[in-house]
Amino acid sequence: MKKIGSYIYALALVICLGTTAMLAVSNHNVKSNASGETTLASDGAFRDGLYLGKLAAESGQAPRPAIGRWSADQDRSMFAAGYRRGYNESLASAAANGGRTQSAE
């Protein structure tokens, strides 16, 4: 009877440790996704592209990011990514509002 009790205790311990490890890994993935957005939000080239993409979409211009504003390849790709996101989000917002652009009142 003592052997069965020790097996049950060992099994309960393994289950607890496994659950704890699974939750720790799951929590880490959530933090890394939030960290990616934080990285984008703190990147100057990305924010510049986001702003200019939004302005271009609101004024009805074709999506043509001016990547020459940035000299480093990494900055150029971040600017282009921000531009595309800003442009697409602005178009989606306008479509959700029935084609009306938001005015700064």
Side-chain angles (χ1 to χ4, degrees):
M1 190 68 175
K2 287 187 176 185
K3 283 186 177 183
I4 293 175
S6 63
Y7 287 127
I8 291 174
Y9 177 74
L11 181 62
L13 183 62
V14 168
I15 289 173
C16 288
L17 290 175
T19 303
T20 303
M22 186 174 60
L23 290 174
V25 169
S26 174
N27 193 23
H28 176 69
N29 290 338
V30 171
K31 287 181 181 179
S32 66
N33 290 341
S35 174
E37 286 298 318
T38 303
T39 302
L40 292 177
S42 66
D43 188 281
F46 183 85
R47 286 193 332 262
D48 185 32
L50 193 67
Y51 177 71
L52 292 177
K54 179 182 172 187
L55 288 179
E58 288 176 354
S59 65
Q61 298 176 5
R64 286 178 277 185
I67 60 172
R69 296 169 55 93
W70 298 88
S71 59
D73 289 336
Q74 174 68 24
D75 290 337
R76 287 180 176 196
S77 65
M78 293 302 289
F79 175 84
Y83 187 95
R84 284 190 301 272
R85 181 182 284 186
Y87 193 90
N88 292 335
E89 285 179 356
S90 183
L91 289 181
S93 175
N97 291 330
R100 297 183 309 267
T101 58
Q102 297 174 351
S103 62
E105 294 178 14

